[in-house]
């Protein structure tokens, strides 16, 4: 199953168009389920939709994002997410 994750930093709605654009791209890339979040990507702390997404994906799934910085801003956070996905047998794909 292709699972999408979309994130924008702003919670005030000013970046909602960016979120909609990401969702459209994810749908065009075949994502059947998409997790959307309006939260800073500086850390993974408090990013509940990211946690839901990582808990949801299963072996053989593909996690699709539009850009790496939508998933993590920190190299350490990115490494930990990739490690978790790898251990679960989930592929990570960025459209850009």
């Amino acid at each position: 199953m292709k699972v999408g994750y979309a994130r924008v930093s702003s919670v005030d709605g000013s970046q909602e168009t960016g979120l909609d654009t990401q969702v459209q791209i994810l749908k065009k890339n075949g994502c059947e389920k998409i997790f959307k979040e309006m939260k800073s990507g500086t850390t993974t702390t408090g990013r509940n939709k990211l946690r839901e997404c990582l808990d949801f994906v299963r072996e053989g799934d593909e996690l699709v994002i539009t850009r790496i910085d939508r998933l993590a801003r920190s190299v350490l956070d990115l490494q930990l997410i990739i490690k978790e996905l790898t251990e679960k047998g989930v592929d990570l794909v960025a459209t850009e």
Side-chain angles (χ1 to χ4, degrees), residues 4 7-8 15 25-28 31 40 44 46 49-52 54 56-58 62-63 66 69 74 78 83 94 96:
R7 182 192 62 78
V8 292
Q15 290 189 13
I25 292 167
L26 294 171
K27 285 180 180 178
K28 284 181 185 175
C31 292
S40 172
T44 56
K49 292 298 180 182
L50 174 60
R51 175 50 34 213
E52 282 181 41
L54 295 174
F56 179 84
V57 293
R58 301 283 180 258
E62 193 173 277
L63 177 58
T66 56
D69 69 344
S74 149
L78 181 60
K83 181 179 186 291
E96 291 181 27

Side-chain angles (χ1 to χ4, degrees), residues 26-61:
L26 294 171
K27 285 180 180 178
K28 284 181 185 175
N29 280 273
C31 292
E32 299 172 54
K33 181 156 183 75
I34 298 173
F35 293 85
K36 300 181 279 188
E37 192 148 56
M38 294 179 117
K39 188 90 172 171
S40 172
T42 311
T43 178
T44 56
T45 304
R47 289 174 55 197
N48 298 331
K49 292 298 180 182
L50 174 60
R51 175 50 34 213
E52 282 181 41
C53 179
L54 295 174
D55 289 343
F56 179 84
V57 293
R58 301 283 180 258
E59 184 175 352
D61 285 351

